[in-house]
């Protein structure tokens, strides 16, 4: 299986755009060739962009039938062209695709924001050769008729499964593989499987790039984002179980990155205080550690009485009486006759 390696790059490599030119492929054809594993890419680490080894380009160019054979392997067709290849009415091909017999490989939105599905021409013709009864029998298979009668459309589900397989094929890093599976789950299901917020943030950072569709508008992006999420209960359960397995492998390889632990500010302040200073006792939100300036007289028990909350009136009178006596004594001691 052709994969994207994240080991140290050996030999000369070229950028993706340059590789597409050397392989005589358009941008969309080259991207599909990479996703299907026909072109191997490599990179030094997760933060680097993929590149194509020069030896891989030379291998493909030296293959028999290049470049027509490679272009035929990545050629996609819509419903009209696919029905012409199979020599069947377009509505019959649509019913077969809705029933799950043909798996889309790409999609885009037209100007009416309707999803247009594209299929590999090679797969369309191959399935017709293996199952000719799908095209010739007047009656479709019973299972297909049941799905169509229930209004089920298997194309989005099959496309999501295929996209997940292509994402797994493009990397060997366990966290990136887990992120490819997590892309099919909505935030609610994802948080239930991945309870650690740091792991969810790491998966979000490694999330594969969103597919490019047209027209580029918020409404169109919303349609595509919803299309990438699993819908049916059994489909959601499958992605949850698959994500749990990939996540277990990723955790055993390396933990998700976490920010460095910072020492709390109050710890540094406490370390700078003298040892004999008692710990603060005021409730949260009040400023601690601020000492009063010397006033020239000692702070006697009067001060303690004044700061007590809800003191009684008799208690307050005794405190005031004691407050007057020290002041009078101080004046008599310092005043000259």
């Amino acid at each position: 299986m052709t994969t994207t390696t994240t080991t140290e790059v050996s030999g000369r490599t070229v950028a993706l755009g340059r590789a597409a030119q050397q392989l005589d492929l358009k941008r969309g054809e080259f991207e599909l060739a990479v996703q299907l594993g026909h072109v191997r890419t490599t990179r030094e680490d997760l933060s680097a962009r993929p590149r194509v080894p020069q030896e891989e380009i030379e291998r493909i160019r030296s293959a028999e039938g290049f470049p027509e054979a490679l272009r035929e392997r990545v050629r996609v067709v819509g419903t009209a062209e696919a029905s012409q290849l199979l020599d069947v009415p377009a509505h019959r091909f649509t019913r077969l695709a809705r029933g799950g017999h043909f798996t889309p490989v790409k999609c885009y939105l037209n100007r009416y924001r309707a999803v247009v599905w594209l299929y590999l021409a090679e797969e369309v013709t191959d399935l017709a050769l293996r199952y000719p009864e799908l095209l010739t029998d007047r009656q479709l298979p019973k299972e297909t008729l049941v799905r169509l009668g229930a209004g089920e459309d298997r194309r989005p589900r099959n496309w999501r499964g295929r996209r997940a397989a292509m994402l797994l094929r493009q990397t060997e890093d366990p966290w990136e593989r887990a992120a490819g599976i997590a892309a099919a789950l909505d935030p609610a299901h994802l948080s239930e499987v991945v309870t650690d917020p740091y792991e969810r943030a790491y998966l979000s950072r490694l999330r594969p790039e969103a597919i490019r569709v047209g027209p580029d508008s918020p409404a169109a992006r919303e349609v595509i984002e919803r299309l990438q999420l699993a819908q049916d209960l059994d489909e959601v359960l499958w992605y949850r179980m698959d994500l749990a397995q990939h996540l277990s492998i990723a955790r055993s390889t390396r933990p998700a990155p976490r920010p460095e632990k910072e020492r709390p500010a109050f710890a540094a302040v406490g370390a700078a205080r003298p040892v004999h200073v008692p710990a603060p006792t005021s409730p949260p939100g009040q400023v601690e550690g601020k000492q009063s300036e010397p006033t020239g007289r000692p702070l006697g028990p009067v001060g303690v009485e004044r700061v007590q909350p809800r003191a009684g009136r008799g208690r307050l009178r005794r405190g005031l009486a004691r407050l007057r006596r020290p002041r009078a004594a101080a004046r008599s001691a310092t005043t000259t006759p």
Side-chain angles (χ1 to χ4, degrees):
M1 181 176 64
T2 304
T3 57
T4 299
T5 61
T6 56
T7 56
E8 184 179 357
V9 178
S10 60
R12 180 168 174 265
T13 61
V14 297
L16 299 183
R18 179 63 178 171
Q21 295 177 2
Q22 295 183 10
L23 296 177
D24 295 335
L25 294 176
K26 299 179 181 178
R27 180 179 179 181
E29 295 174 338
F30 178 80
E31 291 179 353
L32 188 56
V34 172
Q35 294 171 2
L36 295 174
H38 300 327
V39 179
R40 182 178 62 90
T41 60
T42 185
R43 55 182 173 176
E44 294 180 351
D45 50 61
L46 295 179
S47 60
R49 294 185 61 85
R51 297 175 66 86
V52 181
Q54 186 63 41
E55 60 181 9
E56 176 71 4
I57 297 178
E58 295 174 356
R59 181 190 67 84
I60 298 175
R61 291 179 62 90
S62 61
E64 184 180 357
F66 176 85
E68 288 76 12
L70 180 59
R71 290 175 182 169
E72 185 63 25
R73 298 178 71 181
V74 296
R75 185 167 73 95
V76 295
V77 294
T79 300
E81 191 173 356
S83 61
Q84 293 177 3
L85 287 175
L86 302 180
D87 195 18
V88 296
H91 67 85
R92 185 179 181 93
F93 178 85
T94 301
R95 288 168 62 86
L96 289 172
R98 289 174 62 92
H101 295 285
F102 296 99
T103 301
V105 70
K106 294 178 64 176
C107 68
Y108 68 93
L109 298 184
N110 58 16
R111 59 179 179 176
Y112 305 107
R113 291 202 294 270
V115 181
V116 179
W117 298 105
L118 300 175
Y119 310 85
L120 283 175
E122 187 179 39
E123 289 184 355
V124 170
T125 55
D126 181 67
L127 188 136
L129 294 175
R130 289 186 292 116
Y131 303 101
E133 64 276 6
L134 292 177
L135 309 178
T136 57
D137 292 354
R138 298 186 60 183
Q139 190 74 11
L140 295 178
K142 183 178 179 180
E143 183 180 1
T144 304
L145 293 175
V146 172
R147 292 175 180 173
L148 296 177
E152 186 177 354
D153 188 353
R154 284 272 176 163
R155 291 175 296 181
R157 177 172 178 159
N158 289 349
W159 172 76
R160 285 190 292 267
R162 181 165 207 162
R163 182 171 183 265
M166 290 191 300
L167 292 174
L168 293 178
R169 187 185 296 115
Q170 294 179 60
T171 181
E172 294 178 353
D173 181 75
W175 280 102
E176 279 195 335
R177 293 169 68 88
I181 300 297
L185 294 174
D186 60 23
H189 289 291
L190 182 61
S191 61
E192 292 178 357
V193 179
V194 189
T195 57
D196 191 339
Y198 294 107
E199 290 182 345
R200 290 199 303 271
Y202 193 40
L203 292 176
S204 177
R205 195 172 74 184
L206 298 177
R207 186 184 182 94
E209 296 181 0
I211 61 174
R212 291 185 294 271
V213 298
D216 188 10
S217 64
R221 288 193 295 269
E222 182 180 357
V223 172
I224 292 299
E225 290 176 1
R226 186 170 61 251
L227 193 65
Q228 297 179 72
L229 300 179
Q231 303 295 329
D232 299 331
L233 182 60
D234 59 334
E235 184 189 9
V236 172
L237 180 60
W238 186 89
Y239 280 106
R240 288 173 60 119
M241 296 176 60
D242 202 24
L243 175 60
Q245 294 178 359
H246 282 85
L247 199 60
S248 177
I249 299 175
R251 288 167 176 165
S252 63
T253 304
R254 68 178 185 275
R258 298 172 181 270
E260 296 182 1
K261 295 182 179 180
E262 298 180 359
R263 292 191 303 171
F266 64 84
V269 175
R273 289 179 176 176
V275 178
H276 66 274
V277 176
T281 57
S282 63
Q286 296 185 5
V287 179
E288 291 291 344
K290 184 177 180 180
Q291 300 180 359
S292 58
E293 297 293 335
T295 57
R297 62 179 180 85
L299 183 62
V302 177
V304 177
E305 292 289 337
R306 293 183 63 185
V307 299
Q308 293 296 329
R310 301 182 181 275
R313 295 195 177 202
R315 202 173 183 180
L316 180 60
R317 293 194 192 97
R318 291 194 299 271
L320 292 176
R322 287 196 298 269
L323 179 63
R324 297 188 186 96
R325 286 196 297 271
R327 287 182 177 177
R331 283 196 300 269
S332 62
T334 57
T335 304
T336 56

